[in-house]
Amino acid sequence: MQVQKILAECKKNLIDLDKQIILILKSIEQNISIIIDGESGTGKTELAKTVALALKRPFYRVDGDENLTITQLRGWFDPALVIESGFGEDSFIPGPLTLAMLNGGLFFFNEVNRAPSESVNGTLSAMDSSERSIEIPQYKSIRAEDGFYTIFTLNPSEYIGTNPLPEAFFDRCIRISLTHKTGKIAEEIVKLRTECTDNSLIRKCVQFAEETRISTFFEQGASIRGAIQLTQILMNEDWNDSQVLHAINAVFSGKVKLQPDISRSVEECLEEIAYNIFFEARPKN
Ligand SMILES: Nc1ncnc2c1ncn2[C@@H]1O[C@H](COP(=O)(O)OP(=O)(O)OP(=O)(O)O)[C@@H](O)[C@H]1O
Ligand SMILES: [Mg+2]
């Protein structure tokens, strides 16, 4: 694998993740499964998708939820076709895991911690570097073609209350943890995603999102997504303070969570932060 060449391709779309990209590429080369973890908006999905695109291999994505079954992942027999031709290749509808194995592509399991542990268990033999196979009952054992690899993402703050992942799962993976990017690097990301040329606006939007994460008002702040969206809405407009506040509320009110002991509303808290960053002075009552 031409690691440096693929890294250069990935760098066009990913800011400040070189070490992580190299680790992922080396792991793929050695058939080691990868977990990317990090809070919402830290770049997990973008990282996995960008590497897959740069590798030019087929990409099969599954999003974890409580109803996801092993059968959905591996595949199932079409009852009508089974009556016609019995259990076999003609009646088997392969699921994304099986397709990724057969076509030597990426099996990308997003938000794996939201899926039932039985379903995650169903992927273990495929992701094991020495096995790389799964058993389809009443059919056959499927071995992964060269090029097959697996990436999982999980959000640790959503871990509580979701399904505990089996120890055997973590044992088969390397784990790459992403954190929120801040300051100049976050500004670079917003610039890349929005193509905004107003650096001062980008700086304010990034600062606003960061402030929601460190503010004592909030138990949970917003990720860079908030900064990206606010930039997109405010760019190329000459809005007055009241319109800017309206936009800030629209972007951030659903992304932050108030501390339980705060008696002010989310809107009042966002407004307080906005005055420090966006406006020269408070409006006179
Ligand atoms: N390092 C980075 N380089 C370029 N873009 C980034 C980077 N980090 C985050 N982004 C951008 O920030 C946004 C959020 O990233 P992404 O969707 O990958 O987050 P996530 O970790 O998958 O979040 P969630 O857990 O909510 O799914 C996207 O628009 C993504 O392109
Ligand atoms: Mg994601």
Side-chain angles (χ1 to χ4, degrees):
M1 184 188 288
Q2 294 170 295
V3 172
Q4 289 308 321
K5 198 172 155 216
I6 299 165
L7 171 67
E9 189 59 32
C10 293
K11 280 172 72 135
K12 293 180 192 161
N13 191 50
L14 293 171
I15 310 283
D16 197 40
L17 291 173
D18 297 16
K19 278 191 303 219
Q20 289 84 348
I21 297 166
I22 291 171
L23 253 178
I24 290 178
L25 295 176
K26 295 304 288 183
S27 306
I28 291 172
E29 204 175 46
Q30 298 300 326
N31 292 334
I32 303 169
S33 291
I34 301 147
I35 301 174
I36 307 175
D37 78 7
E39 288 181 11
S40 202
T42 47
K44 303 182 292 295
T45 305
E46 194 71 58
L47 174 58
K49 277 168 60 179
T50 305
V51 170
L53 214 67
L55 282 171
K56 298 191 175 68
R57 294 190 200 166
F59 178 92
Y60 301 89
R61 174 176 174 161
V62 167
D63 288 280
D65 75 59
E66 62 205 23
N67 299 317
L68 187 76
T69 62
I70 303 178
T71 310
Q72 281 171 301
L73 293 176
R74 292 178 166 187
W76 58 93
F77 287 96
D78 182 299
L81 295 176
V82 170
I83 292 169
E84 228 171 79
S85 54
F87 290 100
E89 198 161 340
D90 292 341
S91 56
F92 184 65
I93 317 287
L97 174 62
T98 309
L99 283 170
M101 294 174 77
L102 292 173
N103 297 326
L106 165 63
F107 175 62
F108 176 52
F109 197 155
N110 206 30
E111 316 221 24
V112 63
N113 49 316
R114 291 194 179 169
S117 9
E118 309 90 73
S119 307
V120 180
N121 274 328
T123 67
L124 288 181
S125 59
M127 60 193 270
D128 190 294
S129 10
S130 51
E131 288 189 69
R132 289 170 67 78
S133 64
I134 50 171
E135 286 298 325
I136 308 285
Q138 288 163 308
Y139 185 34
K140 62 177 180 181
S141 165
I142 290 177
R143 263 200 78 76
E145 294 296 324
D146 285 349
F148 166 72
Y149 66 107
T150 49
I151 297 184
F152 301 82
T153 70
L154 68 87
N155 183 337
S157 59
E158 284 186 357
Y159 209 64
I160 309 144
T162 53
N163 297 293
L165 289 166
E167 203 180 299
F169 171 76
F170 288 105
D171 209 35
R172 281 164 175 74
C173 295
I174 66 145
R175 185 170 180 158
I176 292 175
S177 296
L178 300 187
T179 52
H180 292 290
K181 301 287 184 197
T182 56
K184 291 274 172 242
I185 291 170
E187 287 170 31
E188 251 188 90
I189 294 174
V190 174
K191 201 172 177 68
L192 176 73
R193 300 273 82 106
T194 63
E195 293 177 9
C196 174
T197 50
D198 182 348
N199 293 333
S200 155
L201 173 67
I202 292 178
R203 195 170 316 121
K204 287 177 188 170
C205 294
V206 163
Q207 205 186 335
F208 193 95
E210 282 178 25
E211 201 62 42
T212 64
R213 296 200 297 274
I214 49 181
S215 160
T216 49
F217 293 142
F218 304 120
E219 182 175 276
Q220 189 189 303
S223 76
I224 199 158
R225 279 201 190 100
I228 293 172
Q229 291 170 355
L230 188 60
T231 305
Q232 285 168 329
I233 289 173
L234 298 183
M235 65 196 257
N236 308 327
E237 298 289 346
D238 189 18
W239 281 354
N240 64 31
D241 290 1
S242 151
Q243 288 171 306
V244 171
L245 252 187
H246 202 64
I248 287 175
N249 264 309
V251 170
F252 286 92
S253 58
K255 296 180 173 58
V256 296
K257 199 169 160 207
L258 271 186
Q259 289 283 7
D261 58 342
I262 299 287
S263 53
R264 298 158 82 178
S265 69
V266 169
E267 286 72 20
E268 284 169 331
C269 296
L270 290 174
E271 196 169 324
E272 183 77 36
I273 298 174
Y275 282 122
N276 294 327
I277 296 171
F278 280 92
F279 313 128
E280 306 271 304
R282 287 170 173 280
K284 294 190 178 66
N285 289 323

